[in-house]
Amino acid sequence: MREMELMGAKATEEESRVEMIDSGGGQDHKASDPANGVAEGKAVEEEDDSGSSRADEAPLLQSAANGAAEAAAAPPESAVAAAASKIESLEEMESKYAAYVRDDCYGALGRGALPWGERAKLAAALLTIVPLRFVLLFLVLLIYYVICRIFTLFRSPSDEEGQENYEYLRGFRRWIIASSGRFFARVMLFVLGFYWIKVKESPSSAASLQQGAAQVGPDGYEHIAAEDTPGAIVSNHVSYLDILYHMSASFPSFVAKKSVAKLPLVGLISKCLGCVYVQRESKTSDTKGVSGIVSERLRAAHSDPGAQIMLLFPEGTTTNGKHLLPFKTGAFLSQTPVLPVVLRYPYTRFSPAWESISGVRHILLLLCQPINFLEVTRLPVYSPSDKEKADPKLYASSVRTLMATAEKLTISDIGLQEKRIYLNAIRSKTTA
């Protein structure tokens, strides 16, 4: 009973407080709060002639204004959710399109926030080695252009289905152009900081070539690599530097855009290399003609040791060097053996891989690096089995699997279309 009486007393006290507030007697209650007391004192000074006070209005209006300001400052839930989903989608794309993701300190587009130490190194390089390297590269390119011009005098380029080149040259002219080309390509790599290039052969390569041992390919068939002359060099594609290395090693011809033939200096050099030109964005019947020319070149290089070998990048685009994209079948339609080569560019600061940075920015950052590294692995010459000769896709897949397994590259099933999607996404994120 005692507890019930206490509870009843408390309830009565609470009811009396409510009645005081409802009847306007809450002034004393507010005065107990220092903040409300200050507001009340200011409001008393603002009484109008009618004697009515705005004491209760001021705190309410102030509270409403503060609430509106806080609501405006806080981002809408829909905007936060949209931003979160956008971040998640970009992260998912980086995981899905990992073959094109850069992980050096310069970021995806070469515009990442750099520490002050790296900025100081870039500034020092821009004032010292970059101008020197630029001048040396131009001089080397100019000298080789003059050599090509001299040894193509009184000779017209062949016009095989619109393919203007000097691939047909033989004898002393061809020897001078090829030898000087290999030398100057290596000089250019040296100027770019590739002072040492590590070239290695797989353990089975030397044995198979010397002893004529049979090599078991990924398809389970035996492939006799000894005494077979490859029709093409098949290489992964990481950077424009790949071409300079292969020029210095074997001076092959390769497939290039038609616009390359019209470039100053480089245009004539590409013709002396015997490049096969193609309009990559075109899907006309010209593509079939180019495919036929490539197949004929590969057969000629396979049957004639004096013919120029071709360099082909069956991935069709560049990656970050850690993945291997699906191979196109163009290099495998001729049914001739191929020489698989894997290129790697180890780095500590800037990756020479060219997949998402603009050309000018990439060259500039590359010139700023005092030392660059390149590792080359030459695998055994791969001769297709009868089954692979009848199925170019199987042939391409077998060589791809061999290269990926030998150098522990990740096999990726994306292509150029996915690369464009990823590049558009990171560019829109940067400009947003």
Side-chain angles (χ1 to χ4, degrees), residues 102-107 114 117-123 125 129 346-352 365 368-373:
R102 297 183 66 88
D103 55 2
D104 60 7
C105 64
Y106 290 87
L114 299 176
E118 187 65 23
R119 295 182 184 182
K121 292 177 182 178
L122 285 179
I129 62 175
Y347 63 92
T348 54
R349 295 166 54 198
F350 174 72
S351 171
L365 292 175
C368 289
Q369 306 305 307
I371 302 176
N372 291 294
F373 302 95

Side-chain angles (χ1 to χ4, degrees), residues 102-183:
R102 297 183 66 88
D103 55 2
D104 60 7
C105 64
Y106 290 87
L109 299 176
R111 302 174 183 177
L114 299 176
W116 285 106
E118 187 65 23
R119 295 182 184 182
K121 292 177 182 178
L122 285 179
L126 286 171
L127 297 175
T128 54
I129 62 175
V130 171
L132 177 61
R133 283 178 169 179
F134 183 81
V135 172
L136 290 176
L137 289 172
F138 178 76
L139 288 176
V140 171
L141 187 63
L142 183 61
I143 292 171
Y144 185 54
Y145 169 81
V146 172
I147 292 174
C148 291
R149 178 60 68 188
I150 292 174
F151 286 90
T152 55
L153 285 175
F154 312 112
R155 292 290 188 276
S156 299
S158 65
D159 190 9
E160 182 183 7
E161 296 190 19
Q163 301 291 332
E164 294 186 1
N165 57 66
Y166 293 96
E167 190 270 338
Y168 70 91
L169 290 179
R170 295 290 185 271
F172 182 71
R173 291 174 182 264
R174 168 55 57 184
W175 184 82
I176 290 293
I177 290 175
S179 299
S180 59
R182 285 194 293 267
F183 173 76

Side-chain angles (χ1 to χ4, degrees), residues 29 41 48 60 64 68 101 109 124 139 160 186 193-194 203 207 229 242 244 251 292 306 340 344 398 401 422 431:
H29 176 68
D48 54 18
L60 291 175
V101 177
L109 299 176
L139 288 176
E160 182 183 7
R186 185 63 187 92
F194 294 92
T229 302
D242 304 346
L244 276 181
F251 199 76
R344 286 183 178 272
S398 298
T401 303
Y422 172 69
T431 56

Side-chain angles (χ1 to χ4, degrees), residues 407-426:
E407 288 304 300
K408 298 180 180 180
L409 300 176
T410 302
I411 291 181
S412 179
D413 292 328
I414 58 179
L416 182 58
Q417 182 178 359
E418 288 80 5
K419 182 177 185 178
R420 290 171 176 169
I421 294 174
Y422 172 69
L423 292 183
N424 289 335
I426 61 176

Side-chain angles (χ1 to χ4, degrees), residues 68 76 83 86 97 133 147 149 167 186 213 223-224 248 262 289-290 303 305 325 333 361 364 426:
K86 183 177 181 181
Y97 307 139
R133 283 178 169 179
I147 292 174
R149 178 60 68 188
E167 190 270 338
R186 185 63 187 92
H223 303 265
I224 306 299
S248 68
K262 299 179 181 180
V290 170
S303 59
L325 305 181
L333 294 174
R361 183 179 295 271
L364 185 62
I426 61 176

Side-chain angles (χ1 to χ4, degrees), residues 25 43 45 52 75 81 94 105 115 119 121 132 167 186 206 223 230 243 252 276 285 295 298 301 332 365 377:
E45 296 177 357
S52 63
E94 287 185 349
C105 64
R119 295 182 184 182
K121 292 177 182 178
L132 177 61
E167 190 270 338
R186 185 63 187 92
H223 303 265
I243 296 175
V276 177
S285 58
S295 296
L298 299 186
F332 309 96
L365 292 175
T377 300

Side-chain angles (χ1 to χ4, degrees), residues 204-205 207-216 222-230 337-338 379-384:
S204 61
S205 178
S208 63
L209 292 175
Q210 293 177 4
Q211 302 175 7
Q215 175 192 352
V216 180
E222 290 187 348
H223 303 265
I224 306 299
E227 301 179 357
D228 272 355
T229 302
V338 296
L379 299 173
V381 175
Y382 191 97
S383 298

